[in-house]
Structure formats: structure tokens, C-alpha cells
Amino acid sequence: MRAFYKNNNGLIAIEKWIPNCWINIECPTEAEKKYLLEDLEIPEAFYNDIEDIDERPRIEIENGWTLIIMRIPVKSNDIKLPFHTIPVGIVFKGEICITISFHKTEMLADFVTYTKRKNINIKDNFDLVLKLLLSSSVWFLKYLKQVNQKIKLAEDNLEKSIKNEELQALLQIEKCLVFFMTSLKGNDILLHRIKNIKSQREYFDLDLLEDVEIELRQAQETTNIYSDILTGTMDAYASVISNNMNTIMKQMTSISIILMIPTLIASLYGMNVPNDLQENKYGIWIVIAISMILSAFGVFLFKRKRWF
């Protein structure tokens, strides 16, 4: 999908390209790929890098074109991985500025709406990059709140019964947090590299830079906190499962010892050797009674927890 936006106290959608407008392309088709590579003549290597789902945040310059790749969070339809991150590329040169994403995102549409509501103007290409970085950090925080709710839900389910499904849900959330931490670190490195561009330092909005740093740091710290909490929770439930297993094995061992008593007596009495009870007509009942008494005594000790 291709969309054009111009600055007018916020980003306003227009029907065709004009100089210094913003071109936003999501899930590019073959026609849009041809438009980018042949009409706008962006480097094909840039296009291929953005298409790579595992591409890390970075900045690169080639033939006058500048490529900046950042990672943003998205909600997934995959139950096993509810949240993950994707690369978004900002490619610009002179009067041309393009953002390319190979996945549908909520962030970019919300960014356009936000600029209209707040009457925000985009000064230049780097100003757009910084504002998108700020928006991505805010969206990381939004999704982290949802991740926290999923953690609480999984904990509530585990308190009722420890099942594989609940533990797998925690593992899935942990995987999301790993993706978030890695992407946020990459965005943080990207921000520092942008700040160190000598030719642009004097044009940066210092308040905007500070806001981006604060939100990015907050997102990183929140992700680390949730990750630590989740790790502690999983370790605690692992200990609970281990203790439950030890208790069950203790009970099974005690029961097996109790059941061994009548078996041992019956084995001794059944040996083909002389004994005082072999001619006694009550011999079998005496053996059964002794077995029952010893077994009952064993059960009594087991209940009083004197064994193990």
C-alpha cells in the first residue's frame, strides 16, 4: 500500500508525490517495488535489507541515499508469539523521503493521526526519523503493558493448577521480551549514531532528542524489569514442581515399603522349611494378622510423618 503525506500542521494525505512529501509504503507489491527501484531509483541493496525480517537497526549512506533502519513492535496473529518486532526503513535523498515496511503496523497509522491531532510539523528527514523513534518507544511501552497483563493471567492460571499450557504461555512471553530487549538496544545504538552525525548536530531539536532518549530508556528498563520478574516467576514454579515431585516420590516410597511388609512375611512363611505354624490350623490366619498389624503400624508411622 502506497500513501503520500505533506506537512500542513500535521501530516495530510495527498494523492500524488510532491517535493519534500513523505512516501509511506507498507507491504509493497511488485508494482510498488518497481516504483521504488526504477522510478525513484533507490539502491536495490537498501530494499533487500529492509525486507530481511532479522535486519538490525543501523544507518548507511550510498550514492547520496541515506538508509536508516529501526525496529518497531507489532502484534502478531500467532498464538505462540503474540508480539514481535519488525524492521522499518527510512530512505531519503534530497526532496525524496520514503518509509518502507514489509508488514502492516499500527504505529505508522497512529503516527499520522497523532501529528494531525497535535498539529506537529516535520522539519526535515532526520526530524521524521527522531519522531518515528519516539513513537516506536511509546508503542513498545503500550505492548509491554499488554505483556504484563498476560504474565498476570498466566500466574493466576498457574496458581490454580500447574499445567504445561501455562508454562508454555510464560515461555512465549519470555520470547517476546527477548525480541523487545534486542530491538530496543539496537534502536538505542541507532539514536547515538544519529546524534553523532556532525553535519546534522546543529539542526537537531534538543527537546525532541531528550524525549526520545527518555522514552527509549524507559522502554528498555520496563522490558528488563518484566524479564527479571518473569525469570523469577518461572524459577519459583520450577522449584514448586520439583518440591511436588519430591513429595510424590516420598509418598510412593513409603507406600511401597508398607506394601513390602506383608509380601516379606508371606515369602518367609511360604519357604519350604519347617516352622511352628505349618501344622497349626490357624497358621494362615496368624500370618495374615501379623501382616495386617505390621502394615497398620507402618501406615500409622507414615501418617505421623516419622518416616522420611
Side-chain angles (χ1 to χ4, degrees), residues 75-263:
K75 187 180 291 186
S76 171
N77 294 325
D78 186 359
I79 300 176
K80 295 183 179 180
L81 189 65
F83 303 97
H84 65 102
T85 62
I86 62 167
V88 171
I90 302 100
V91 185
F92 53 86
K93 176 184 179 182
E95 297 177 336
I96 301 173
C97 180
I98 316 151
T99 55
I100 306 171
S101 169
F102 283 82
H103 300 78
K104 188 71 177 175
T105 68
E106 294 181 83
M107 190 199 92
L108 294 175
D110 178 75
F111 177 71
V112 173
T113 304
Y114 178 76
T115 59
K116 291 179 185 176
R117 188 170 65 249
K118 296 293 185 178
N119 296 325
I120 296 174
N121 282 317
I122 309 296
K123 294 192 304 183
D124 53 37
N125 297 327
F126 281 98
D127 192 53
L128 174 63
V129 172
L130 291 175
K131 285 182 168 66
L132 286 174
L133 271 173
L134 177 61
S135 180
S136 71
S137 301
V138 171
W139 275 91
F140 271 112
L141 290 170
K142 285 183 180 180
Y143 285 142
L144 282 169
K145 290 180 181 179
Q146 298 181 35
V147 167
N148 189 37
Q149 293 174 356
K150 288 182 177 291
I151 293 174
K152 291 180 180 179
L153 179 61
E155 288 177 347
D156 292 340
N157 292 334
L158 281 169
E159 288 177 1
K160 298 174 184 177
S161 64
I162 298 177
K163 296 181 180 179
N164 290 339
E165 290 78 6
E166 281 73 28
L167 292 173
Q168 287 172 356
L170 289 178
L171 286 172
Q172 292 158 10
I173 295 170
E174 186 177 33
K175 194 184 298 183
C176 295
L177 292 175
V178 170
F179 283 126
F180 277 20
M181 281 191 290
T182 306
S183 298
L184 285 166
K185 287 179 182 177
N187 285 352
D188 187 43
I189 294 171
L190 173 65
L191 176 63
H192 283 85
R193 288 180 178 174
I194 291 173
K195 286 172 59 179
N196 291 329
I197 298 175
K198 295 181 180 179
S199 60
Q200 296 294 325
R201 283 181 187 174
E202 59 185 77
Y203 302 110
F204 288 144
D205 184 339
L206 297 180
D207 291 335
L208 177 59
L209 274 175
E210 184 180 2
D211 290 342
V212 176
E213 288 179 332
I214 290 172
E215 293 295 332
L216 196 53
R217 192 177 303 115
Q218 183 179 351
Q220 286 180 291
E221 291 174 355
T222 304
T223 305
N224 289 330
I225 290 170
Y226 288 166
S227 180
D228 291 343
I229 291 173
L230 186 58
T231 301
T233 300
M234 295 186 69
D235 290 343
Y237 281 113
S239 299
V240 170
I241 292 171
S242 179
N243 289 338
N244 290 344
M245 182 63 68
N246 290 338
T247 301
I248 292 172
M249 293 304 298
K250 187 188 297 184
Q251 293 173 350
M252 294 298 294
T253 303
S254 301
I255 292 171
S256 66
I257 292 175
I258 293 170
L259 293 175
M260 185 184 69
I261 296 172
T263 304

Side-chain angles (χ1 to χ4, degrees), residues 264-273 275 277-278 280 283-284 287:
L264 177 63
I265 295 173
S267 299
L268 292 173
Y269 182 72
M271 287 183 179
N272 191 20
V273 293
N275 60 70
L277 297 177
Q278 64 183 5
N280 192 325
I284 184 66
V287 171

Side-chain angles (χ1 to χ4, degrees), residues 33-52:
K33 179 180 179 180
K34 182 179 178 181
Y35 171 74
L36 290 169
L37 299 180
E38 297 182 8
D39 296 350
L40 299 181
E41 297 181 347
I42 72 168
E44 186 173 1
F46 286 2
Y47 183 89
N48 294 333
D49 288 345
I50 300 168
E51 189 176 10
D52 183 4

